[in-house]
Amino acid sequence: MSEKVTQVSETKQQIVRSRTCGCKDLYAALVLQNTATQYVAGEPRKLSRMVKAKIDEKWSSEKIYSDDETEEVITAYEGTDVELEVNALAPQDRAFIFGQRYENGYLVKTSNDMAPEVAIGWRERKLNGKYEFKWLFVGKFAEGISDEANTKEGKLSPTTKSIKGSFYERSLDNQYEISVDESNLIDEFTDAKAALENWFSTVQEFPDTVENTGGSTEGEPDSSVTE
């Protein structure tokens, strides 16, 4: 059951809150530069079909006291834990996100493998049929993958894969996530509407920060979004 929206005018409407009921279209892009002066992400590529996503933002807080009372509460962002359950991972996917070697049909894993910095994007379906589109700017899937396989017991028992990563703010401006909820877009939000048309063609930026990121992503994007 979704909430009803009362249109007040062409450029103003009430806030829409609708429960999340699905997720799909997982994309990842290599972060090519992540410095105090430049953020550049490569061409996004489609990864596996999503089963479940658990996103856990971590914040810490500390109280400062004076005159026998709380003077101030200091909060700090500590990172975002990401756990994704996907249907399957090809060896090319594993090489891409874990930094493993895939060559001549062989996937080779070593204790020296270093997961690269990546950005990830996806969209979450709402009960009202709209989507919320997201990008996390930078992080690593350095915690590897959870694999499971079961014997056939009279019928097939398909399994899934779980990958865990730690994401954090980028060095350029401390931004760590950007999203657009199309349920709450009004006519005057033209930039956000335009971004949704090719959300997965590039790692999206808030319009006034684009000129500070060092340019757009490289290569011809794969902007296909399957229903």
Side-chain angles (χ1 to χ4, degrees), residues 22-27 46-55 83-88 120-124:
C23 59
K24 63 189 302 185
D25 294 325
L26 176 61
Y27 280 74
K46 183 75 179 289
L47 290 181
S48 305
R49 296 173 67 90
M50 293 183 72
V51 178
K52 184 187 298 184
K54 182 179 180 181
I55 313 298
E83 183 174 357
L84 302 176
E85 184 178 347
V86 298
N87 68 326
I120 59 170
W122 71 97
R123 58 176 174 158
E124 299 176 355

Side-chain angles (χ1 to χ4, degrees), residues 30 51 57 70 74 87-88 101 107 114 123 134-135 139 141 147 155 161 170 185-186 196 204-205 212-213:
L30 287 177
V51 178
E57 289 188 10
T70 301
I74 300 175
N87 68 326
R101 178 184 176 190
L107 179 68
M114 297 290 291
R123 58 176 174 158
K134 298 186 176 184
W135 275 104
F141 285 101
D147 268 328
K155 62 179 181 179
K161 312 295 182 186
R170 62 188 185 183
L185 292 183
I186 58 179
L196 292 188
Q204 298 293 328
E205 295 280 352
N212 297 321
T213 61

